[in-house]
PDB file of all heavy atoms in Angstrom:
ATOM      1  N   ASN A 287      32.291 -79.519 136.646  1.00 96.00           N
ATOM      2  CA  ASN A 287      33.356 -80.347 137.207  1.00 96.00           C
ATOM      3  C   ASN A 287      34.656 -79.578 137.463  1.00 96.00           C
ATOM      4  O   ASN A 287      35.679 -80.179 137.745  1.00 96.00           O
ATOM      5  CB  ASN A 287      33.649 -81.536 136.272  1.00 96.00           C
ATOM      6  CG  ASN A 287      32.468 -82.451 136.144  1.00 96.00           C
ATOM      7  OD1 ASN A 287      31.685 -82.588 137.101  1.00 96.00           O
ATOM      8  ND2 ASN A 287      32.297 -83.047 134.971  1.00 96.00           N
ATOM      9  N   GLU A 288      34.611 -78.259 137.282  1.00 96.00           N
ATOM     10  CA  GLU A 288      35.785 -77.387 137.452  1.00 96.00           C
ATOM     11  C   GLU A 288      36.938 -77.836 136.587  1.00 96.00           C
ATOM     12  O   GLU A 288      38.118 -77.787 136.979  1.00 96.00           O
ATOM     13  CB  GLU A 288      36.182 -77.295 138.929  1.00 96.00           C
ATOM     14  CG  GLU A 288      35.076 -76.660 139.755  1.00 96.00           C
ATOM     15  CD  GLU A 288      35.375 -76.562 141.229  1.00 96.00           C
ATOM     16  OE1 GLU A 288      36.533 -76.732 141.612  1.00 96.00           O
ATOM     17  OE2 GLU A 288      34.438 -76.347 142.001  1.00 96.00           O
ATOM     18  N   ASP A 289      36.624 -78.327 135.380  1.00 97.00           N
ATOM     19  CA  ASP A 289      37.647 -78.825 134.488  1.00 97.00           C
ATOM     20  C   ASP A 289      38.035 -77.700 133.487  1.00 97.00           C
ATOM     21  O   ASP A 289      37.503 -77.615 132.365  1.00 97.00           O
ATOM     22  CB  ASP A 289      37.093 -80.051 133.725  1.00 97.00           C
ATOM     23  CG  ASP A 289      38.157 -80.750 132.873  1.00 97.00           C
ATOM     24  OD1 ASP A 289      39.218 -80.144 132.646  1.00 97.00           O
ATOM     25  OD2 ASP A 289      37.897 -81.900 132.433  1.00 97.00           O
ATOM     26  N   ILE A 290      38.955 -76.842 133.929  1.00 98.00           N
ATOM     27  CA  ILE A 290      39.324 -75.681 133.128  1.00 98.00           C
ATOM     28  C   ILE A 290      39.923 -76.078 131.769  1.00 98.00           C
ATOM     29  O   ILE A 290      39.671 -75.454 130.752  1.00 98.00           O
ATOM     30  CB  ILE A 290      40.327 -74.796 133.920  1.00 98.00           C
ATOM     31  CG1 ILE A 290      39.680 -74.240 135.159  1.00 98.00           C
ATOM     32  CG2 ILE A 290      40.872 -73.652 133.057  1.00 98.00           C
ATOM     33  CD1 ILE A 290      40.595 -73.392 136.019  1.00 98.00           C
ATOM     34  N   VAL A 291      40.697 -77.149 131.819  1.00 98.00           N
ATOM     35  CA  VAL A 291      41.388 -77.583 130.594  1.00 98.00           C
ATOM     36  C   VAL A 291      40.348 -77.968 129.528  1.00 98.00           C
ATOM     37  O   VAL A 291      40.448 -77.570 128.360  1.00 98.00           O
ATOM     38  CB  VAL A 291      42.348 -78.785 130.877  1.00 98.00           C
ATOM     39  CG1 VAL A 291      42.990 -79.292 129.605  1.00 98.00           C
ATOM     40  CG2 VAL A 291      43.416 -78.349 131.875  1.00 98.00           C
ATOM     41  N   TYR A 292      39.324 -78.733 129.938  1.00 98.00           N
ATOM     42  CA  TYR A 292      38.294 -79.120 128.954  1.00 98.00           C
ATOM     43  C   TYR A 292      37.579 -77.904 128.409  1.00 98.00           C
ATOM     44  O   TYR A 292      37.356 -77.784 127.209  1.00 98.00           O
ATOM     45  CB  TYR A 292      37.290 -80.100 129.605  1.00 98.00           C
ATOM     46  CG  TYR A 292      36.300 -80.641 128.598  1.00 98.00           C
ATOM     47  CD1 TYR A 292      36.501 -81.899 127.990  1.00 98.00           C
ATOM     48  CD2 TYR A 292      35.172 -79.909 128.217  1.00 98.00           C
ATOM     49  CE1 TYR A 292      35.608 -82.365 127.031  1.00 98.00           C
ATOM     50  CE2 TYR A 292      34.271 -80.376 127.265  1.00 98.00           C
ATOM     51  CZ  TYR A 292      34.501 -81.610 126.675  1.00 98.00           C
ATOM     52  OH  TYR A 292      33.633 -82.079 125.732  1.00 98.00           O
ATOM     53  N   VAL A 293      37.209 -76.983 129.312  1.00 98.00           N
ATOM     54  CA  VAL A 293      36.517 -75.767 128.868  1.00 98.00           C
ATOM     55  C   VAL A 293      37.377 -75.046 127.843  1.00 98.00           C
ATOM     56  O   VAL A 293      36.915 -74.742 126.736  1.00 98.00           O
ATOM     57  CB  VAL A 293      36.217 -74.813 130.071  1.00 98.00           C
ATOM     58  CG1 VAL A 293      35.608 -73.491 129.550  1.00 98.00           C
ATOM     59  CG2 VAL A 293      35.245 -75.469 131.041  1.00 98.00           C
ATOM     60  N   ALA A 294      38.632 -74.822 128.185  1.00 98.00           N
ATOM     61  CA  ALA A 294      39.519 -74.028 127.322  1.00 98.00           C
ATOM     62  C   ALA A 294      39.708 -74.707 125.947  1.00 98.00           C
ATOM     63  O   ALA A 294      39.703 -74.022 124.899  1.00 98.00           O
ATOM     64  CB  ALA A 294      40.869 -73.856 127.997  1.00 98.00           C
ATOM     65  N   LYS A 295      39.856 -76.017 125.951  1.00 98.00           N
ATOM     66  CA  LYS A 295      40.165 -76.730 124.695  1.00 98.00           C
ATOM     67  C   LYS A 295      38.930 -76.886 123.823  1.00 98.00           C
ATOM     68  O   LYS A 295      39.053 -77.199 122.619  1.00 98.00           O
ATOM     69  CB  LYS A 295      40.808 -78.092 124.989  1.00 98.00           C
ATOM     70  CG  LYS A 295      42.195 -77.930 125.588  1.00 98.00           C
ATOM     71  CD  LYS A 295      42.990 -79.199 125.453  1.00 98.00           C
ATOM     72  CE  LYS A 295      44.379 -79.079 126.131  1.00 98.00           C
ATOM     73  NZ  LYS A 295      45.192 -77.962 125.661  1.00 98.00           N
ATOM     74  N   ASN A 296      37.741 -76.710 124.386  1.00 98.00           N
ATOM     75  CA  ASN A 296      36.501 -76.928 123.602  1.00 98.00           C
ATOM     76  C   ASN A 296      35.730 -75.658 123.310  1.00 98.00           C
ATOM     77  O   ASN A 296      34.638 -75.722 122.729  1.00 98.00           O
ATOM     78  CB  ASN A 296      35.642 -77.963 124.309  1.00 98.00           C
ATOM     79  CG  ASN A 296      36.251 -79.347 124.203  1.00 98.00           C
ATOM     80  OD1 ASN A 296      36.093 -80.026 123.174  1.00 98.00           O
ATOM     81  ND2 ASN A 296      36.984 -79.745 125.218  1.00 98.00           N
ATOM     82  N   MET A 297      36.288 -74.512 123.692  1.00 98.00           N
ATOM     83  CA  MET A 297      35.557 -73.248 123.453  1.00 98.00           C
ATOM     84  C   MET A 297      35.456 -73.033 121.934  1.00 98.00           C
ATOM     85  O   MET A 297      36.364 -73.361 121.199  1.00 98.00           O
ATOM     86  CB  MET A 297      36.341 -72.057 124.032  1.00 98.00           C
ATOM     87  CG  MET A 297      36.524 -72.124 125.533  1.00 98.00           C
ATOM     88  SD  MET A 297      37.296 -70.625 126.168  1.00 98.00           S
ATOM     89  CE  MET A 297      38.881 -70.566 125.352  1.00 98.00           C
ATOM     90  N   LYS A 298      34.312 -72.513 121.503  1.00 97.00           N
ATOM     91  CA  LYS A 298      34.128 -72.244 120.077  1.00 97.00           C
ATOM     92  C   LYS A 298      33.154 -71.077 119.903  1.00 97.00           C
ATOM     93  O   LYS A 298      32.199 -70.951 120.655  1.00 97.00           O
ATOM     94  CB  LYS A 298      33.561 -73.494 119.397  1.00 97.00           C
ATOM     95  CG  LYS A 298      33.901 -73.567 117.921  1.00 97.00           C
ATOM     96  CD  LYS A 298      33.633 -74.917 117.332  1.00 97.00           C
ATOM     97  CE  LYS A 298      34.552 -76.008 117.650  1.00 97.00           C
ATOM     98  NZ  LYS A 298      35.763 -76.305 117.449  1.00 97.00           N
TER      99      LYS A 298
END
Side-chain angles (χ1 to χ4, degrees):
N287 297 328
E288 298 178 15
D289 187 346
I290 296 178
V291 177
Y292 186 96
V293 174
K295 292 199 183 304
N296 289 278
M297 297 186 300
K298 205 166 286 295

